[in-house]
Amino acid sequence: MKPFRPPRVIIGTERENAMTVICWFRRVLRLDDHPALVAAAAAGAVVPLVIVDPAEARDHPASAQRQAMALAPLDRALRAQGSRLIVRRGAPAAVLEAVARDTGATQVHATEGFPFASDDGLADAARRGGAVLHLHPLADLVPRGSVRTGSGGVYKVFTPFWKAVRQVDIAPPLAAPRLSAPERWPDSDAPDWPEARAAMDRGWDVMAAHIRAGEEAAHDRLEEFLTGDVAGYKADRDLPWRPRATSGLSDALAVGEISARRIWARCRGDFEQGIPGIEPFLSELCWREFAHELMAESPDLSRAPWRKEWSDFPWRADNDDAEAWRRGRTGVPIVDAGMRELYATGRMHNRVRMITGSYLTKHLLTDWRVGLDWFARCLTDWDAASNAMNWQWVGGCGPDASPFFRIFNPETQAEKFDAKSRYRDRWMRPDAAGAQAFGAAIPRSWDLDLTRRAMPRISLPEGRARALTAYEEMKS
């Protein structure tokens, strides 16, 4: 089958003496289905801009690396149109002001910062540079706040939200516009992110081997999945030793190399025909939508329990057990394998995310925000809303949450989903490729002897009993 490609370069016209406008590629590192880019192309000659913020590299280094690796492919796609990517380093407001002034741009088009960043101060900065800022929504499946319950409230449970979204006419994705070039180009830094390289340290090169960057690669991955393993998705997606059982598109979605609307449009025909695997795949895509909806309703989702009665639960603050968890040294093989996979690749299989999250919040009785912060540093597919909702879900304090008394038994989970220990062996056997990648990525200061297994921090029955006691005391 011929690889699928979205329609390209079908709108917009060449302009003589067109006014200059800036399109800020703000975590939307693609040309297809990019509302801000379409609006910019209709307004004038476009200066495509990416801002690499040192503060973002400090807080989310793995995500910053993932974005950095998408810059060269994006520049190539732009140059194929006679355009180019301008990269500038610094605080976004200061950079916007400077580039607007340098180019004489009258407009700046960008995607809204939600759920990744604040838009505060950006309009004033653009105005100081002589331009008007226009913010456009993400190309999500539905506009925020448009899918509501019968009483007009936000859905608090996923299943009815999913059923409601299925009844909505999802807007079609936008084709990439034809771009006209400005009369002069501003200076650009190299398409890299030095602060992210420094923050990742030895892990940069290790993680780079696990990244397929660029818009074209994202569409290739989608097509490989839909023409290959999608039929077995429902049965196989929980098997961590079968990475091809899932689409592997979470990082491409997170950095905006492909849109949720484009995936939906590509799958719609197969969905209507009842092709096996398509419905559960699209429901997982909608879970991301559910997270965005809930965070828009509750902006403090990443810091405060969604269920307010959990505010007084006796979570432990950061502690030595949590540090052992971060370093893959809990003594529970499936948990340690997951934490090693996370550190070396920037990814973790979803089933293992649930196991490791449950172990931290319940067996180790550690605050879910400790786990949330570590995942925010280590995930290449970091999405603020999804990360927050998933941690609250596994901790039992969030919307549609797993009940706190539902405590994953890591050993039982491993027997069920990794029966032949293929996943655990890859990351725990010292001579295996995964374990060696982890050893190459970790800071030397960790001084870990990977040939020796860690002793369990707490027995599984004891950890479970402690968690249930704390839960009962909170209720009473």
Side-chain angles (χ1 to χ4, degrees), residues 45-259:
V46 179
V47 176
L49 172 68
V50 163
I51 300 174
V52 293
D53 183 359
E56 184 175 359
R58 179 194 65 226
D59 295 337
H60 311 292
S63 173
Q65 175 176 351
R66 182 63 182 82
Q67 292 174 74
M69 293 185 66
L71 299 185
L74 177 59
D75 184 50
R76 289 194 295 269
L78 287 166
R79 288 180 182 273
Q81 284 209 43
S83 184
R84 68 184 66 170
L85 183 64
I86 303 301
V87 179
R88 289 286 183 91
R89 289 177 177 78
V95 171
L96 276 186
E97 179 181 350
V99 176
R101 185 178 293 110
D102 290 350
T103 59
T106 57
Q107 299 178 16
V108 175
H109 292 267
T111 302
E112 294 172 346
F114 174 84
F116 300 98
S118 169
D119 298 325
D120 292 347
L122 297 178
D124 288 343
R127 190 177 299 112
R128 289 194 297 270
V132 176
L133 176 67
H134 300 271
L135 293 176
H136 303 265
L138 282 168
D140 280 345
L141 297 180
V142 292
R144 295 282 69 80
S146 65
V147 177
R148 295 285 176 168
T149 64
S151 62
V154 65
Y155 280 96
K156 300 175 183 178
V157 179
F158 173 70
T159 299
F161 176 78
W162 164 232
K163 290 179 179 178
V165 170
R166 289 173 57 175
Q167 304 305 313
V168 173
D169 289 330
I170 307 298
L174 302 171
R178 178 180 293 112
L179 302 180
S180 55
E183 292 184 1
R184 61 183 180 84
W185 289 100
D187 293 336
S188 175
D189 295 322
D192 195 6
W193 204 329
E195 295 84 3
R197 282 186 180 270
M200 291 299 295
D201 194 20
R202 299 199 305 162
W204 179 284
D205 290 337
V206 176
M207 193 173 290
H210 298 275
I211 292 173
R212 290 175 63 184
E215 180 178 0
E216 184 172 333
H219 286 278
D220 286 343
R221 272 192 279 172
L222 176 61
E223 199 64 21
E224 290 164 7
F225 175 66
L226 294 178
T227 58
D229 295 307
V230 69
Y233 178 75
K234 185 175 182 179
D236 296 342
R237 63 182 175 177
D238 279 326
L239 305 177
W241 53 270
R242 289 200 62 182
R244 290 179 59 85
T246 64
S247 70
L249 283 169
S250 60
D251 60 324
L253 276 164
V255 302
E257 290 171 338
I258 193 168
S259 73

Side-chain angles (χ1 to χ4, degrees), residues 114 294-308 311 368-369 372 384-385 388-389 392 397 399:
F114 174 84
L294 287 167
M295 195 167 194
E297 187 76 11
S298 303
D300 62 347
L301 192 65
S302 64
R303 301 322 312 169
W306 190 81
R307 299 179 186 273
K308 302 308 179 187
S311 296
W368 55 274
R369 284 159 287 210
L372 178 147
M389 190 179 74
Q392 292 224 38
C397 57

Side-chain angles (χ1 to χ4, degrees), residues 244-312:
R244 290 179 59 85
T246 64
S247 70
L249 283 169
S250 60
D251 60 324
L253 276 164
V255 302
E257 290 171 338
I258 193 168
S259 73
R261 294 194 308 203
R262 176 58 68 189
I263 295 174
W264 185 276
R266 173 63 184 87
C267 294
R268 182 176 177 179
D270 292 343
F271 183 30
E272 293 172 348
Q273 294 175 38
I275 300 298
I278 295 293
E279 181 173 353
F281 172 60
L282 290 180
S283 75
E284 291 298 318
L285 183 68
C286 195
W287 179 262
R288 173 180 176 272
E289 204 83 11
F290 184 50
H292 285 195
E293 195 75 11
L294 287 167
M295 195 167 194
E297 187 76 11
S298 303
D300 62 347
L301 192 65
S302 64
R303 301 322 312 169
W306 190 81
R307 299 179 186 273
K308 302 308 179 187
E309 64 270 25
W310 283 83
S311 296
D312 294 327

